[in-house]
Amino acid sequence: MQPSDPAPERIPAFLAGLAFTGSGLDRAVPLRADPETRARLAQDPGTRFVAFWRGRALLDPGTVDPVTGAGLYPLRPGAPLLRHMVSDPIFLGLSEGQAVFAADLSGWAPEGEGPDPQAFADPRLWHPPGVPDSASFTELRGALTALDARAGELVAIARALMQWHETHGFCGRCGAPSRVTLGGWQRWCPACDSHHFPRTDPVVIMRIIRGNHILMGRSPGWPEGMYSCLAGFIEPGETVEDAVRREVFEESRVRVGAVRYLTSQPWPFPTQLMIACEGEALDDTITIDPVEIEDALWISRERLAAVLAGSDPVIHAPRSGAVAGWMMRQWLADRRA
């Protein structure tokens, strides 16, 4: 099948290492409104299904698939595991000319306990039947570097859409049950004829600089030793720059002057777009809001180097693949981006 849309530019080299960023996937938007073609593609031997179970993707670090990339374990049409789908598959697009769907297999019931819904990131693995022993349903937060760009983009789309459907089963206008349409990219209310589309929540994440120091903080409930750049949701009627200044002041009482954009990263936990910025601090006195954060501190370049090397006795190295760690490494390397 020929691509339906011009492929977007592949990720530039300076953004290498960021998880979930654009890989040039053809989202094939016209096919969303073509149920007959999608139904045929769902049975095509070349089609792949990206499988999820309770928010966890079916991963296999040894799999390199020409369509879905490295790190995913894709299922083919007719795979026994697909009988556990709890809803129609979501059409993700075309990859290397082949259709890719997302399948929610939450109908599968494993032996033993399921995931801990209260855990920040449950590291346990769940091995479903009919797949290699190396394949398992895995929490994505701990597997960002196991996926290449194509696999990362596919799981980011799939997880975000599944979360949206899970929490938007009823019409936001009249409250009646809504139906999935457009291959999973819309919900339609038959009661009032409203059309609802997937939402993405914009979040600013800030590299706040004061001379030779960078501001870092931690939220209550984070794993021990985890610190990161400050971050927060953009409020209605607010610019990105104003959100940066407001969030930093709310959490630390540090005032911020000039703000500039760095990059962005989809973050499907559950449906966010991280907008990375750098801000220049106008003062360095920290007074935390304990409701917002548990701690905040200024880190020198020298200490940040130790943090990133994993040798700091208090602060752990940030997760690879997340934009916060990328911002730290870029600053330490004295790169403007």
Side-chain angles (χ1 to χ4, degrees), residues 226-303:
M226 180 178 177
Y227 280 73
S228 187
C229 298
L230 302 187
F233 290 97
I234 299 177
E235 294 186 343
E238 190 173 46
T239 67
V240 169
E241 294 83 358
D242 286 344
V244 167
R245 298 183 182 103
R246 175 185 55 77
E247 282 289 342
V248 173
F249 187 77
E250 284 181 1
E251 295 182 352
S252 69
R253 288 298 185 265
V254 171
R255 294 179 299 115
V256 175
V259 174
R260 68 184 184 93
Y261 170 80
L262 298 175
T263 190
S264 62
Q265 180 187 36
W267 195 246
F269 304 107
T271 52
Q272 299 167 6
L273 178 66
M274 307 301 291
I275 303 171
C277 299
E278 181 178 88
E280 297 180 9
L282 300 178
D283 55 67
D284 56 12
T285 301
I286 296 174
T287 304
I288 67 166
D289 179 349
V291 175
E292 294 279 344
I293 59 175
E294 184 179 282
D295 189 24
L297 68 168
W298 292 102
I299 301 292
S300 68
R301 283 183 182 271
E302 293 75 17
R303 186 177 182 187

Side-chain angles (χ1 to χ4, degrees), residues 173-259:
R173 181 178 181 183
C174 73
S178 59
R179 299 176 185 175
V180 178
T181 57
L182 293 184
W185 290 86
Q186 179 182 270
R187 296 192 71 96
W188 170 66
C189 177
C192 68
D193 197 32
S194 294
H195 297 81
H196 305 280
F197 296 89
R199 61 174 294 169
T200 296
D201 297 316
V203 177
V204 286
I205 181 166
M206 296 75 74
R207 183 172 73 191
I208 303 302
I209 304 302
R210 176 77 168 168
N212 195 47
H213 291 75
I214 184 172
L215 182 62
M216 295 175 63
R218 60 174 279 112
S219 294
W222 279 6
E224 184 179 356
M226 180 178 177
Y227 280 73
S228 187
C229 298
L230 302 187
F233 290 97
I234 299 177
E235 294 186 343
E238 190 173 46
T239 67
V240 169
E241 294 83 358
D242 286 344
V244 167
R245 298 183 182 103
R246 175 185 55 77
E247 282 289 342
V248 173
F249 187 77
E250 284 181 1
E251 295 182 352
S252 69
R253 288 298 185 265
V254 171
R255 294 179 299 115
V256 175
V259 174

Side-chain angles (χ1 to χ4, degrees), residues 111-165:
E111 296 182 2
E113 294 183 355
D116 180 359
Q118 304 302 320
F120 178 81
D122 194 329
R124 291 177 295 169
L125 307 177
W126 284 266
H127 301 276
V131 302
D133 291 342
S134 55
S136 60
F137 287 114
T138 306
E139 165 61 51
L140 287 174
R141 282 187 178 90
L144 301 186
T145 57
L147 306 173
D148 69 1
R150 177 54 50 85
E153 185 172 4
L154 289 169
V155 299
I157 299 170
R159 193 184 191 284
L161 286 174
M162 287 181 181
Q163 175 68 21
W164 177 70
H165 285 296

Side-chain angles (χ1 to χ4, degrees), residues 31 46 54 69 75 102 105 194 198-199 303 328:
L31 293 182
R54 302 188 191 180
L75 301 176
L105 307 184
S194 294
R199 61 174 294 169
R303 186 177 182 187
M328 295 176 203

